[in-house]
Amino acid sequence: MTETLPGRLARLPVQVSPRLGEGTDSYIRRLARANHLKPSYLHGFLCGPPFWFGKPRLERLADVTGRTTANLQQALFDVSTPRLRYRTGPGRAARIAHRQPDLYTQLQNAARDEGLTVRELASRHGIPRWLIRNALASNRPLPRDLPARQAPVTRPIAPLIDSMLHAGLGPREIWTALMDQHNTSVSYGTLNLYISKRRRNSEWQSEHFRVQRKTVSC
């Protein structure tokens, strides 16, 4: 690593640029792999004690990338979200999209073609920055009809977590495997909550013991 000021972290030798509208975890995974590090290791290092599995600290990410916190705030859509990553629900965003159905397309085109920042887009259209980040992180406008509220662990990830639970992995091992091997991220608190609910579920318990008996018999 290069030299750094006292009290600050050193820059990583290989740098990658954040993509406009990218999530923090996605950027950290790309940054880690470019430097031949495990994403889970870099994520924990950027969190620092005592919350090694929490939300990466923006000032630490700025240090290792040599970028300003303002630059990262403009590029990464979720840096200002609370640690457990509970984001603004789709209700308000859907109402705005209903009144202005082409708004998301306009925002995405302006960011791509004109290189406008989140701040500049918010100023131009007179809308909050969280909505800009939602638009840039989405491949299409929000639907007019809101879907039923989904669990924090989405359906594609849940079977993967279940399989690791059946294999006897604990929450930390599952969180690490998701980050390093499956290129996906779930907050540690959300993962713990999901695992607790699954373990209390009688149907899941029956399936778990069936799998365990089958493994032992083999």
Side-chain angles (χ1 to χ4, degrees):
M1 291 188 179
T2 59
E3 293 183 0
T4 186
L5 297 175
R8 298 187 61 182
L9 304 178
R11 288 182 59 182
L12 289 169
V14 180
Q15 291 297 320
V16 295
S17 299
R19 297 163 181 161
L20 188 62
E22 185 175 19
T24 305
D25 285 350
S26 171
Y27 179 48
I28 290 173
R29 287 195 298 267
R30 293 196 299 113
L31 188 63
R33 293 194 173 100
N35 287 276
H36 305 286
L37 298 171
K38 287 187 176 182
S40 61
Y41 170 81
L42 181 57
H43 185 282
F45 178 75
L46 294 175
C47 290
F51 302 113
W52 299 102
F53 295 90
K55 184 177 179 64
R57 290 161 55 185
L58 186 60
E59 66 275 12
R60 293 175 74 90
L61 182 58
D63 283 349
V64 300
T65 59
R67 299 175 181 276
T68 65
T69 56
N71 176 266
L72 294 172
Q73 286 173 333
Q74 290 174 353
L76 304 174
F77 79 95
D78 61 346
V79 292
S80 58
T81 344
R83 187 169 150 265
L84 292 179
R85 301 179 200 163
Y86 293 123
R87 299 174 189 162
T88 306
R92 186 180 173 195
R95 289 194 294 272
I96 295 175
H98 179 78
R99 294 194 298 269
Q100 304 179 60
D102 297 326
L103 178 61
Y104 271 33
T105 301
Q106 293 174 18
L107 294 171
Q108 291 165 353
N109 290 343
R112 183 187 64 245
D113 301 335
E114 303 178 47
L116 297 180
T117 65
V118 172
R119 184 190 301 272
E120 291 168 341
L121 288 170
S123 177
R124 171 186 288 188
H125 293 275
I127 55 180
R129 294 180 194 175
W130 65 261
L131 181 59
I132 303 290
R133 295 188 179 99
N134 276 356
L136 298 180
S138 174
N139 292 325
R140 58 184 181 277
L142 287 172
R144 304 289 181 83
D145 298 324
L146 294 181
R149 185 175 180 85
Q150 297 179 347
V153 179
T154 60
R155 186 169 296 177
I157 303 176
L160 183 59
I161 296 174
D162 288 347
S163 67
M164 288 189 277
L165 277 173
H166 289 314
L169 273 64
R172 292 192 177 189
E173 295 170 307
I174 293 175
W175 183 91
T176 300
L178 288 173
M179 176 78 74
D180 294 342
Q181 301 171 23
H182 300 283
N183 201 39
T184 190
S185 303
V186 177
S187 79
Y188 192 68
T190 298
L191 178 63
N192 255 328
L193 180 62
Y194 175 81
I195 291 174
S196 298
K197 288 182 177 179
R198 291 298 280 162
R199 284 173 172 168
R200 291 197 299 267
N201 183 283
S202 57
E203 181 180 344
W204 183 87
Q205 289 177 0
S206 299
E207 174 65 15
H208 175 68
F209 288 126
R210 187 188 68 80
V211 172
Q212 292 285 37
R213 285 197 300 270
K214 182 178 179 181
T215 303
V216 172
S217 63
C218 292

